[in-house]
Amino acid sequence: MSDTVSTTLEDGIAVILLDNPPVNALGHNLREPLFRALEAAKANDEVKAIVIACAGRTFIAGADISEFGKPPKAPSLPDLIGLLESIDKPTVAAIHGTALGGGLELALGCHYRIAERSAKIGLPEVTLGLIPGAGGTVRLPRLVGPEAALGIIVSGKPIGMDEAFSLGAVDRIAEGDLKSEAISFAREKLAEEAPHHHIRERSDKLQIDDAAFETAIEQVARKARGLTAPVKAAESVRNAVTMEFGAALAREREIFLERVASEESAAQRHLFFATREAAKVRGVGRDIEARPVARIGVIGAGTMGGGIAMAFANGGLPVTLLEMNDEALARGLHQIDRNYAGSVKRGSISEDEKTARLARIQGTTSYDALAGCDLVIEAVFEKMDVKRQVFGALDKVLKPGAILATNTSYLDVNEIAAVTSRPQDVVGLHFFSPAHIMKLLEIVRGDRTAPDVLATALALARRIGKVPVVVGVCNGFVGNRMLAARREQNEALLLEGATPAQVDKVFTQFGWPMGPFQMADLSGLDIAWNNRKSLGQTAPIADALCEAGHFGQKSGRGFYLYEDGARIPIPDPDVQALIERKAAELGVERRSIDAEEIIERTLYPMINEGARILEEGIATRASDIDVVWVNGYGFPLAKGGPMFWAERFGPARIVERLEHWHGRTGNALFEPAPLLRQLALTGGGFASLA
Ligand code: 3HC
Ligand code: NAI
């Protein structure tokens, strides 16, 4: 007996119960007593069969991720599964909640698996930059066939019981009490005369269509977008087919250990914990209850309002969508319809699902229709007077306790809240475009925002599958404020001698899905131009391009040329001439610029701004900033976010290079933040601030 493992013997059936809250992760504190319990059950003649079950909310959620990178402690998970496989008595895993990673691998070491209908199983290791390291890539193909196993392993997505059962991954679905059904199942198996086979002894499903399997593996590499783990996982599944069981298992472990030591996995593990930390908010303890939210209101059916309405409708919430007039409303609803039709065409939702989602969105032009809403979010024009007018109107119609939210990108949430008689109910909910797809939600906490409003926003974000980060009020909050620091340098680099293609290439080689100039062309240069004009800002090259009618892909020309409606960016000699002309006009001396300079001048100011954001308390932790950048701006997952990446060099190196560029350019953007200087002096890192 131990704190985490207990065995009870029920008429010849040993039930080994694991209890390691919150998710029964297979840390040393569980592996060691489980090993002993299995040895004891194996040796005890009174034990005829073994059931492994878990207490709490879930079956085993995998290895203990916090142990990776630390010295290993015996017994290892493969040792544990090896012991399980040496037992001749029938062994049954009883699964509820989620059996993930090492949890599923342990279950694959049993002869049989029984699961509750609501359970899920999966091998999410690739999402942590790893591959399954305790036989998952070798046993699962033997159980369900290599093609199905490949899909499960490289996607990292858990599957439900319908699929698991039809694939043969689970032998029985328990409709009643899991533990008693598992015991009855074990008894049934005992009564059967047939021998019990471990998965390692089975090879009937390993026959494959070589060509189709190789094509599937090639596709993995194409879709991996620079990440190594899915490619390595696919390699390991192939080994399961081409190598003998023991050799494939040994090779899997080698690859797993290489992956554990990789920067890519360290970055993704950092993000796993960072995402969960971000949901922990000062002053919003577990005792703060979220307000009930059953109906959402959205104001403005433009780019963002339409996407936000879809995000809520996709999450099952009914939405009332308000526009200024019938025409604008019809336009907005039509766009939503088109977006859903696109999803149906791509096969991501069914026609029925489209109908159900559309039915959840009701259009209106009257504020009275919002009276029953529990939370209303506005996505009208980015102008303070328009926002004030909207909040004034909302204050009049909304019921007490309703939440008033703004999707503003830059404006002062406190100033907006001040228009209402209930500033405690006002919060920023900053979605990212396209709002039904991008995961990030910056929750902007105003000076007076009530804790239960934040708790509601956090719960709602999770309900619709968003990744929330609570931030403070400042111009641009966390993401856009740091982006502004980078954007300024993009133009400066062009003036000083870099080309758009050169800058973009450095970005994609770093791991971004695309460079800043390709991105600008894709989103349309005119939008940012209009925004700059309304704010009295300028960007010499982008402004000149817009004046010349270069609006990006939509006009066939932007920073690049796009021929015949194709989306392939071609370097444009006219743009180059324009850049050189502007440089001459502004008296900027041109020279050759290398990749290192492009990285330092675009990313270091972002990190510097990140340090200021931390200093001012706009973000609570450096890891929150990483969550923002990975989920809202496509910062490469493999690098873990700007602040995590910066730790690789350390604050001292960043300060030294910022000072260098400050000296050369005189630009205040490069003036090291006091916090960075302090960390450089003390030798601390950003993580030490948490
Ligand atoms: N190791 C360590 N801690 C873990 C963990 C794990 N495998 N899984 C979850 N936790 C922790 C979380 O950090 C969180 O801690 P906190 O309360 O201090 O913030 C707590 O458990 C609860 O987690 P969630 O907030 O995520 O709880 P949910 O109920 O929303 O989700 C879950 C539960 C679906 C199990 C989710 O936690 C999850 O997906 N966990 C990770 C699963 C995973 O990736 N497993 C593979 C691990 S790698 C492996 O097994 C290698 C093997 O092949 C050798
Ligand atoms: P948009 O111009 O596409 O849409 C605004 C919509 O609001 C229009 O359809 C307009 O008719 C409607 N509208 C204006 N005033 C209104 C009023 N008083 N009542 C009802 N409807 C009204 O603008 P977009 O891009 O959707 O931006 C909306 C808000 O979202 C802005 O605050 C913007 O800063 C913010 N935002 C924009 C992002 C983007 O990438 N476009 C990203 C994140 C936030």
Side-chain angles (χ1 to χ4, degrees):
M1 285 287 182
S2 79
D3 287 351
T4 54
V5 177
S6 57
T7 306
T8 45
L9 190 58
E10 295 187 27
D11 201 14
I13 314 285
V15 177
I16 302 181
L17 187 71
L18 317 184
D19 189 6
N20 188 26
V23 294
N24 289 310
L26 275 162
H28 180 254
N29 65 331
L30 188 56
R31 289 196 310 273
E32 202 269 333
L34 178 56
F35 195 86
R36 277 189 281 123
L38 285 172
E39 274 185 328
K42 180 181 177 182
N44 185 345
D45 288 340
E46 282 176 41
V47 173
K48 305 296 177 209
I50 300 168
V51 168
I52 300 177
C54 286
R57 66 199 216 215
T58 178
F59 191 76
I60 304 163
D64 184 338
I65 302 167
S66 63
E67 280 186 358
F68 295 144
K70 296 182 186 157
K73 279 192 192 169
S76 69
L77 189 50
D79 291 344
L80 200 58
I81 298 170
L83 169 61
L84 199 50
E85 273 191 335
S86 72
I87 301 177
D88 293 333
K89 312 168 188 189
T91 46
V92 180
I95 300 170
H96 75 290
T98 43
L100 298 178
L104 178 58
E105 290 174 303
L106 187 101
L108 294 176
C110 294
H111 291 103
Y112 307 104
R113 284 145 297 282
I114 175 169
E116 282 184 355
R117 184 162 290 284
S118 58
K120 288 195 168 156
I121 61 170
L123 292 170
E125 283 86 344
V126 291
T127 64
L128 297 167
L130 302 169
I131 74 161
T137 63
V138 185
R139 290 191 185 87
L140 193 62
R142 286 177 181 251
L143 188 63
V144 303
E147 279 101 346
L150 183 71
I152 293 169
I153 292 166
V154 299
S155 75
K157 288 197 185 114
I159 58 169
M161 280 310 108
D162 287 344
E163 190 177 352
F165 186 72
S166 69
L167 284 172
V170 162
D171 303 279
R172 181 166 298 173
I173 311 276
E175 303 291 354
D177 177 62
L178 177 64
K179 197 176 104 188
S180 16
E181 290 202 26
I183 292 173
S184 311
F185 182 77
R187 254 189 244 299
E188 260 175 55
K189 290 294 159 191
L190 263 180
E192 282 173 11
E193 293 289 307
H196 309 286
H197 288 298
H198 280 293
I199 293 172
R200 63 181 303 155
E201 294 151 15
R202 294 177 50 175
S203 57
D204 49 305
K205 292 225 177 144
L206 284 184
Q207 318 309 327
I208 47 158
D209 171 345
D210 285 337
F213 188 57
E214 283 309 315
T215 310
I217 286 193
E218 279 161 23
Q219 266 176 7
V220 174
R222 270 206 303 278
K223 285 190 188 157
R225 289 201 282 137
L227 293 174
T228 314
V231 179
K232 289 287 173 186
E235 180 186 319
S236 199
V237 175
R238 183 200 275 124
N239 292 343
V241 179
T242 57
M243 289 180 172
E244 170 274 314
F245 179 85
L249 205 59
R251 180 68 191 126
E252 179 201 69
R253 190 70 184 167
E254 269 172 22
I255 302 176
F256 169 77
L257 292 173
E258 280 165 23
R259 300 308 314 144
V260 171
S262 69
E263 279 179 10
E264 180 178 308
S265 175
Q268 289 183 258
R269 276 154 23 213
H270 160 73
L271 288 166
F272 175 86
F273 289 115
T275 308
R276 282 155 182 82
E277 276 303 294
K280 294 171 193 161
V281 179
R282 180 175 35 86
V284 189
R286 284 180 198 275
D287 54 320
I288 307 282
E289 238 179 82
R291 299 183 189 178
V293 176
R295 177 166 275 280
I296 302 288
V298 177
I299 307 188
T303 311
M304 291 308 288
I308 293 169
M310 288 172 71
F312 284 112
N314 297 353
L317 281 145
V319 178
T320 306
L321 179 59
L322 182 143
E323 253 295 347
M324 289 198 284
N325 52 49
D326 290 335
E327 198 191 332
L329 180 61
R331 206 176 326 120
L333 289 172
H334 178 66
Q335 186 57 42
I336 291 175
D337 195 296
R338 276 183 47 171
N339 287 346
Y340 279 137
S343 305
V344 172
K345 207 166 158 198
R346 283 190 300 276
S348 49
I349 59 168
S350 66
E351 192 64 47
D352 284 354
E353 186 56 31
K354 173 189 169 205
T355 311
R357 291 182 185 189
L358 274 174
R360 288 187 202 118
I361 304 175
Q362 265 172 30
T364 185
T365 53
S366 156
Y367 271 82
D368 292 339
L370 299 175
C373 291
D374 304 295
L375 180 146
V376 177
I377 171 167
E378 67 73 23
V380 301
F381 302 135
E382 183 75 342
K383 291 204 168 108
M384 186 51 95
D385 54 343
V386 186
K387 305 277 190 202
R388 289 168 68 101
Q389 180 212 326
V390 166
F391 271 74
L394 283 177
D395 195 22
K396 288 202 186 82
V397 296
L398 293 191
K399 61 187 177 189
I403 295 172
L404 290 71
T406 170
N407 182 49
T408 180
S409 311
Y410 295 96
L411 300 174
D412 184 337
V413 174
N414 292 322
E415 196 178 331
I416 296 174
V419 178
T420 72
S421 61
R422 36 178 145 179
Q424 74 281 0
D425 296 337
V426 176
V427 67
L429 291 182
H430 185 211
F431 285 79
F432 288 72
S433 183
H436 57 297
I437 293 179
M438 295 301 287
K439 290 267 175 231
L440 178 65
L441 181 66
E442 279 184 333
I443 299 178
V444 188
R445 176 182 208 155
D447 289 347
R448 311 234 347 236
T449 308
D452 66 340
V453 168
L454 292 173
T456 313
L458 286 162
L460 201 56
R462 276 193 290 272
R463 208 163 141 192
I464 60 169
K466 299 291 177 201
V467 176
V469 179
V470 174
V471 301
V473 176
C474 68
N475 189 275
F477 315 119
V478 170
N480 283 345
R481 176 167 160 185
M482 286 169 71
L483 184 66
R486 182 181 94 186
R487 202 179 265 152
E488 194 193 305
Q489 283 304 296
N490 292 338
E491 283 242 341
L493 284 165
L494 295 191
L495 290 170
E496 289 174 45
T499 65
Q502 190 195 356
V503 174
D504 282 346
K505 190 164 166 216
V506 170
F507 271 71
T508 49
Q509 279 176 343
F510 185 82
W512 296 88
M514 76 177 57
F517 297 112
Q518 275 186 44
M519 188 68 207
D521 277 1
L522 179 70
S523 24
L525 302 188
D526 50 330
I527 296 179
W529 187 38
N530 289 335
N531 202 24
R532 279 196 299 277
K533 281 194 287 194
S534 70
L535 296 169
Q537 295 170 349
T538 56
I541 299 170
D543 289 354
L545 285 173
C546 287
E547 280 154 20
H550 286 221
F551 294 147
Q553 279 190 21
K554 59 180 156 191
S555 66
R557 296 185 97 166
F559 282 100
Y560 296 93
L561 187 63
Y562 300 87
E563 279 179 350
D564 307 323
R567 286 165 178 251
I568 302 154
I570 302 167
D572 186 339
D574 290 350
V575 172
Q576 195 51 32
L578 182 148
I579 293 171
E580 286 169 20
R581 221 169 36 243
K582 276 283 150 197
E585 263 170 48
L586 296 165
V588 180
E589 200 180 314
R590 290 174 61 79
R591 61 194 165 81
S592 121
I593 288 181
D594 63 16
E596 202 179 341
E597 176 173 349
I598 293 174
I599 296 267
E600 288 187 357
R601 287 184 54 188
T602 53
L603 290 182
Y604 287 20
M606 262 176 56
I607 293 155
N608 201 26
E609 199 61 36
R612 291 205 177 94
I613 281 171
L614 282 174
E615 238 161 40
E616 293 167 26
I618 298 295
T620 309
R621 332 165 171 84
S623 62
D624 285 6
I625 298 178
D626 292 331
V627 176
V628 164
W629 272 84
V630 167
N631 292 286
Y633 298 83
F635 194 97
L637 267 177
K639 298 218 162 46
M643 307 313 271
F644 181 80
W645 179 73
E647 301 275 29
R648 272 176 38 168
F649 315 100
R653 161 87 185 159
I654 309 263
V655 167
E656 181 205 318
R657 297 310 293 161
L658 283 170
E659 275 173 343
H660 168 82
W661 293 115
H662 189 221
R664 279 194 67 166
T665 63
N667 189 332
L669 209 59
F670 293 111
E671 172 112 54
L675 177 70
L676 261 183
R677 285 193 191 282
Q678 183 201 324
L679 288 175
L681 274 178
T682 57
F686 293 117
S688 67
L689 299 170

